[in-house]
Amino acid sequence: MNFYIANSLDEVTWGENVEITEDVMHYISAKANYTDAKGLYFPEEFHALFVIDPYDDHLCSIKEMKELLNLCDFILTTDVLDGYEDWEEGNSNEEVDFIFSELKKLILEAFSVGKHIFSVGD
Protein backbone atom coordinates (compact mmCIF):
# COMPACT_ATOMS: atom_id res chain seq x y z
CA MET A 1 0.00 0.00 0.00
CA ASN A 2 1.45 3.35 -1.06
CA PHE A 3 0.39 6.74 0.30
CA TYR A 4 0.57 9.95 -1.76
CA ILE A 5 -0.45 13.56 -1.28
CA ALA A 6 -3.42 13.89 -3.64
CA ASN A 7 -7.14 14.53 -3.66
CA SER A 8 -7.80 11.89 -6.34
CA LEU A 9 -6.06 9.18 -8.33
CA ASP A 10 -5.66 11.66 -11.19
CA GLU A 11 -3.59 13.91 -8.90
CA VAL A 12 -1.16 11.16 -7.86
CA THR A 13 2.24 12.11 -9.26
CA TRP A 14 3.81 8.67 -8.75
CA GLY A 15 6.76 10.41 -7.13
CA GLU A 16 7.16 10.93 -3.43
CA ASN A 17 5.18 8.38 -1.47
CA VAL A 18 5.32 6.17 1.59
CA GLU A 19 4.96 2.44 1.16
CA ILE A 20 3.78 0.13 3.90
CA THR A 21 4.95 -3.24 2.70
CA GLU A 22 2.84 -6.36 2.85
CA ASP A 23 5.25 -7.86 5.42
CA VAL A 24 4.86 -4.86 7.71
CA MET A 25 1.07 -4.95 7.30
CA HIS A 26 0.98 -8.65 8.21
CA TYR A 27 3.12 -8.00 11.27
CA ILE A 28 0.93 -5.09 12.40
CA SER A 29 -2.16 -7.20 11.82
CA ALA A 30 -0.74 -9.98 13.97
CA LYS A 31 0.19 -7.51 16.72
CA ALA A 32 -3.15 -5.71 16.56
CA ASN A 33 -4.99 -8.97 17.18
CA TYR A 34 -2.59 -10.07 19.89
CA THR A 35 -3.56 -10.39 23.53
CA ASP A 36 -0.71 -9.86 25.95
CA ALA A 37 -0.08 -11.81 29.16
CA LYS A 38 -2.48 -9.54 31.05
CA GLY A 39 -5.25 -10.19 28.52
CA LEU A 40 -5.00 -6.71 27.03
CA TYR A 41 -5.59 -6.06 23.35
CA PHE A 42 -3.42 -3.59 21.53
CA PRO A 43 -4.95 -0.11 21.33
CA GLU A 44 -7.50 1.04 18.82
CA GLU A 45 -4.96 3.21 16.99
CA PHE A 46 -4.22 0.25 14.72
CA HIS A 47 -7.74 0.31 13.32
CA ALA A 48 -6.93 3.53 11.43
CA LEU A 49 -4.80 1.46 9.10
CA PHE A 50 -7.16 -1.48 8.74
CA VAL A 51 -10.11 0.53 7.41
CA ILE A 52 -8.06 1.07 4.25
CA ASP A 53 -8.22 -1.80 1.79
CA PRO A 54 -4.58 -2.49 0.83
CA TYR A 55 -5.70 -3.84 -2.56
CA ASP A 56 -7.86 -0.88 -3.59
CA ASP A 57 -7.42 2.86 -4.03
CA HIS A 58 -8.68 5.02 -1.18
CA LEU A 59 -8.99 8.75 -0.55
CA CYS A 60 -8.43 9.32 3.16
CA SER A 61 -10.83 11.72 4.82
CA ILE A 62 -9.53 14.39 7.19
CA LYS A 63 -10.72 12.21 10.07
CA GLU A 64 -8.82 9.20 8.70
CA MET A 65 -5.71 11.33 8.20
CA LYS A 66 -5.86 12.46 11.83
CA GLU A 67 -6.33 8.85 12.95
CA LEU A 68 -3.33 7.77 10.84
CA LEU A 69 -1.31 10.61 12.36
CA ASN A 70 -2.26 9.35 15.83
CA LEU A 71 -1.21 5.85 14.78
CA CYS A 72 2.17 7.13 13.59
CA ASP A 73 2.72 8.96 16.90
CA PHE A 74 1.65 5.87 18.82
CA ILE A 75 4.06 3.60 16.93
CA LEU A 76 6.92 6.08 17.18
CA THR A 77 6.53 6.73 20.91
CA THR A 78 5.88 3.21 22.18
CA ASP A 79 7.52 -0.17 21.86
CA VAL A 80 4.30 -1.76 20.64
CA LEU A 81 5.89 -3.07 17.44
CA ASP A 82 9.21 -4.12 18.94
CA GLY A 83 10.22 -7.57 17.83
CA TYR A 84 9.66 -7.02 14.11
CA GLU A 85 13.19 -8.18 13.32
CA ASP A 86 12.41 -11.45 15.06
CA TRP A 87 9.27 -11.94 13.01
CA GLU A 88 10.60 -11.24 9.53
CA GLU A 89 14.27 -11.96 8.94
CA GLY A 90 16.13 -9.19 7.19
CA ASN A 91 13.88 -6.39 8.45
CA SER A 92 14.10 -4.37 11.61
CA ASN A 93 12.26 -2.15 14.03
CA GLU A 94 14.15 0.76 12.47
CA GLU A 95 12.40 0.01 9.16
CA VAL A 96 8.99 0.19 10.82
CA ASP A 97 9.92 3.41 12.62
CA PHE A 98 11.20 4.91 9.36
CA ILE A 99 8.00 4.03 7.49
CA PHE A 100 5.75 5.61 10.11
CA SER A 101 8.02 8.62 10.53
CA GLU A 102 7.80 9.23 6.78
CA LEU A 103 4.03 8.68 6.78
CA LYS A 104 3.68 11.24 9.56
CA LYS A 105 5.70 13.77 7.52
CA LEU A 106 3.57 13.06 4.44
CA ILE A 107 0.32 13.59 6.35
CA LEU A 108 1.57 16.82 7.93
CA GLU A 109 2.67 18.07 4.51
CA ALA A 110 -0.76 17.20 3.07
CA PHE A 111 -2.43 19.21 5.82
CA SER A 112 -0.10 22.14 5.19
CA VAL A 113 -0.96 22.30 1.47
CA GLY A 114 -4.69 21.62 1.91
CA LYS A 115 -4.64 18.17 0.34
CA HIS A 116 -5.60 14.67 1.37
CA ILE A 117 -3.69 11.41 1.51
CA PHE A 118 -4.50 8.97 -1.25
CA SER A 119 -3.69 5.30 -0.84
CA VAL A 120 -2.95 3.29 -3.96
CA GLY A 121 -3.50 -0.41 -3.41
CA ASP A 122 -1.53 -3.32 -4.77
Side-chain angles (χ1 to χ4, degrees):
M1 168 175 9
N2 294 69
F3 292 92
Y4 298 84
I5 295 175
N7 287 334
S8 69
L9 183 59
D10 291 336
E11 285 187 20
V12 171
T13 61
W14 308 109
E16 182 181 348
N17 72 89
V18 175
E19 178 182 11
I20 300 179
T21 65
E22 194 170 323
D23 286 339
V24 171
M25 283 297 293
H26 286 303
Y27 181 71
I28 292 171
S29 178
K31 293 293 269 189
N33 293 313
Y34 175 77
T35 305
D36 68 12
K38 296 178 184 174
L40 302 173
Y41 289 99
F42 277 89
E44 194 171 309
E45 284 89 350
F46 285 113
H47 298 287
L49 198 55
F50 298 128
V51 297
I52 300 170
D53 183 346
Y55 303 106
D56 200 4
D57 300 335
H58 178 80
L59 178 65
C60 295
S61 68
I62 297 296
K63 179 182 179 215
E64 289 170 328
M65 290 168 60
K66 289 178 181 177
E67 290 171 351
L68 285 171
L69 196 56
N70 287 338
L71 172 65
C72 292
D73 285 337
F74 178 73
I75 288 171
L76 294 169
T77 59
T78 67
D79 61 358
V80 70
L81 292 181
D82 280 2
Y84 180 64
E85 69 273 2
D86 298 330
W87 187 76
E88 183 66 32
E89 189 173 329
N91 296 299
S92 67
N93 288 336
E94 289 80 23
E95 177 187 1
V96 173
D97 286 347
F98 178 77
I99 289 169
F100 286 95
S101 175
E102 292 299 303
L103 182 58
K104 179 179 179 176
K105 289 179 195 174
L106 196 76
I107 294 168
L108 292 173
E109 184 179 341
F111 279 132
S112 73
V113 297
K115 297 268 185 175
H116 287 256
I117 294 296
F118 195 89
S119 170
V120 176
D122 294 335

